[in-house]
Amino acid sequence: MEITVQELAALDPKGYVLLDMRGSEAREYGSIPGSVGVSPEELSRYNGDRGKRVIIYCARGQVSLDAAIALRERSYDAYSLSGGYLAWLQDEMEKQEAAALCRQVEESIRKRFHSKIWCCFTRAIREYELVKEGDRIAVCISGGKDSMLMAKLFQELKLHNKFPFEVEFLVMDPGYSPENRRVIEENARKLNIPIHIFESNIFESVYHVEKSPCYLCARMRRGYLYRYAQELGCNKIALGHHYDDVIETILMGMLWGAQVQTMMPKLHSTNFEGMELIRPLYYVREDAIKAWRDCNGLHFIQCACKFTDTCTTCTNNETKSKRMEVKNLIREMKKTNPGVEAHIFRSMENVSLDAVIAYKTKGRKIHFLDNYDNPDGGIEE
């Protein structure tokens, strides 16, 4: 009923079909080459070639086992990939040679992705003054593609820095599964990133919270990162949010939060004196990060929390999230307005306070009527 990753590698690809029943968002983080995405609903109506084996995988090999059993009952020669995508991912990582891979990754940043990644990274640092002389920066690594790329970019920046600054590569384990913990550690080893790992019980703390557990988790993780970074003598933490995160956050705030605001390139901490948050990937597009990942054959974890680290991610529920809705909305708008993403991004630099009903500053709301009858308060059409 199950087939191992090693057994799969020994098969002739012409003799089987490989179906990935995880959601589309999970597939964007990586998939097994040659696999075809299929939802559980589509799988229940599967009508493929009965002369070929049907091999199904999900995140960890649990839901796919039930799907294989259901197909066998319909006379298909169906199998579940034991351990799922994570098992395949770990097997792939073990095959890679660390030193050669690290050189390849660094070379790709300097050459192939010089303009789309490196120049965008240094532009944000320069324009927003994110790195200054004497800084000690905690580069926070979640284990995903964005933060791992950011770590390599900071290593490259250290080679060319015009003034002294220091970096610490920080990984907080909020309760990762042993499999995901190993993926992070193995990627760090192969990419030659000297990480500091510290543990917390955040996942356990928010697991039974019904209302906004992800928001609470994010706030708690931020606090832990600030605190540990301070213990390491850092004055800044760097997070891996990119250009697409910025424009999606703008729209999410408007459509669901009834507010106009953006994800700032840097912020002073209100709870940790002397600490600052910076976002060096502010100008880097997500497609460029994916291309960098794929051209180097890299594989990273997705979210890895207790809500998404199980095969419940196979149900395609994540595509219903607000962020995915916004991604799809932007994708549709681009069909008729190719510059829509840049327009959304630049709109935060072109806010006309004379043409808004009200705005907030430092906790105070300013309404246009407050100054409307003043000599210079009214707006002429």
Side-chain angles (χ1 to χ4, degrees):
M1 202 77 69
E2 290 186 296
I3 188 170
T4 67
V5 172
Q6 293 74 24
E7 291 170 337
L8 175 65
L11 295 178
D12 181 355
K14 296 180 180 179
Y16 65 86
V17 292
L18 184 59
L19 303 180
D20 181 351
M21 62 181 301
R22 301 174 302 154
S24 58
E25 185 178 9
R27 284 182 60 81
E28 285 195 0
Y29 283 86
S31 58
I32 302 177
S35 64
V36 177
V38 58
S39 69
E41 292 76 17
E42 291 170 331
L43 198 57
S44 67
R45 302 189 302 269
Y46 183 74
N47 188 28
D49 186 353
R50 295 181 184 274
K52 288 187 175 183
R53 288 187 182 184
V54 181
I55 301 174
I56 312 164
Y57 72 93
C58 58
R60 299 170 66 102
Q62 297 171 7
V63 171
S64 57
L65 182 58
D66 292 336
I69 293 173
L71 283 183
R72 279 180 171 262
E73 291 175 351
R74 295 169 53 200
S75 301
Y76 283 98
D77 188 19
Y79 299 83
S80 169
L81 182 62
S82 179
Y85 177 73
L86 268 178
W88 176 85
L89 176 57
Q90 290 169 14
D91 184 70
E92 282 294 299
M93 291 173 64
E94 291 171 2
K95 295 176 183 177
Q96 297 174 335
E97 290 294 333
L101 175 64
C102 188
R103 286 194 298 271
Q104 174 185 314
V105 166
E106 292 169 353
E107 191 74 6
S108 71
I109 291 173
R110 294 168 190 152
K111 294 184 176 180
R112 181 170 179 176
F113 295 97
H114 180 81
S115 61
K116 291 188 175 181
I117 291 181
W118 174 251
C119 289
C120 295
F121 171 74
T122 55
R123 177 189 171 194
I125 287 176
R126 183 176 63 255
E127 290 190 5
Y128 298 122
E129 301 179 352
L130 302 183
V131 179
K132 297 183 178 180
E133 184 173 351
D135 279 344
R136 189 176 184 87
I137 303 168
V139 179
C140 301
I141 300 172
S142 66
K145 66 185 190 311
D146 309 324
S147 59
M148 282 291 190
L149 170 62
M150 181 175 65
K152 293 307 297 180
L153 290 169
F154 266 105
Q155 286 184 325
E156 189 70 16
L157 188 66
K158 283 286 293 178
L159 297 176
H160 306 287
N161 61 313
K162 298 178 181 178
F163 50 80
F165 72 93
E166 299 298 327
V167 294
E168 298 285 352
F169 299 101
L170 189 58
V171 176
M172 181 188 63
D173 183 347
Y176 291 141
S177 67
E179 296 87 352
N180 277 308
R181 171 80 174 244
R182 282 196 295 271
V183 169
I184 295 172
E185 292 173 335
E186 187 66 8
N187 274 326
R189 181 186 70 82
K190 289 181 176 179
L191 295 176
N192 193 28
I193 302 172
I195 57 176
H196 295 277
I197 302 181
F198 73 101
E199 282 84 17
S200 74
N201 63 348
I202 292 177
F203 284 172
E204 192 65 34
S205 299
V206 303
Y207 187 58
H208 298 291
V209 175
E210 294 184 4
K211 186 176 181 180
S212 303
C214 294
Y215 173 78
L216 178 60
C217 178
R219 290 295 298 270
M220 292 179 67
R221 292 172 76 169
R222 187 79 53 83
Y224 273 85
L225 288 170
Y226 271 128
R227 186 174 297 110
Y228 195 77
Q230 274 191 328
E231 292 177 8
L232 291 176
C234 298
N235 65 310
K236 293 180 178 178
I237 64 171
L239 302 184
H241 298 117
H242 47 67
Y243 184 100
D244 296 71
D245 289 325
V246 175
I247 61 175
E248 290 161 11
T249 299
I250 293 170
L251 287 186
M252 288 170 66
M254 294 174 64
L255 300 177
W256 281 280
Q259 59 188 353
V260 177
Q261 63 180 29
T262 189
M263 181 182 284
M264 296 296 287
K266 65 179 182 180
L267 291 167
H268 288 294
S269 172
T270 55
N271 298 317
F272 295 86
E273 186 177 355
M275 292 294 292
E276 194 174 356
L277 179 154
I278 62 174
R279 295 184 170 102
L281 301 185
Y282 208 74
Y283 284 131
V284 180
R285 298 303 308 266
E286 186 176 24
D287 283 346
I289 300 174
K290 291 177 181 177
W292 168 81
R293 174 200 65 191
D294 295 342
C295 90
N296 288 296
L298 299 172
H299 305 280
F300 303 111
I301 67 170
Q302 187 182 348
C303 175
C305 76
K306 284 178 179 276
F307 295 99
T308 59
D309 189 31
T310 67
C311 279
T312 55
T313 57
C314 300
T315 64
N316 213 21
N317 284 336
E318 70 273 11
T319 60
K320 300 176 183 177
S321 70
K322 293 180 178 64
R323 190 166 291 276
M324 282 305 297
E325 285 188 50
V326 168
K327 282 180 180 289
N328 292 332
L329 175 62
I330 294 173
R331 189 178 296 118
E332 286 299 311
M333 289 191 294
K334 280 183 67 176
K335 294 178 181 178
T336 54
N337 182 4
V340 67
E341 291 161 308
H343 295 163
I344 296 171
F345 187 90
R346 288 201 297 268
S347 69
M348 293 295 101
E349 300 176 354
N350 294 301
V351 178
S352 176
L353 295 183
D354 292 332
V356 297
I357 300 297
Y359 64 92
K360 293 181 180 178
T361 178
K362 297 181 179 179
R364 180 188 172 200
K365 186 173 183 178
I366 309 297
H367 197 278
F368 88 104
L369 288 177
D370 294 343
N371 296 305
Y372 183 78
D373 290 325
N374 291 340
D376 299 321
I379 303 172
E380 295 184 3
E381 290 292 340

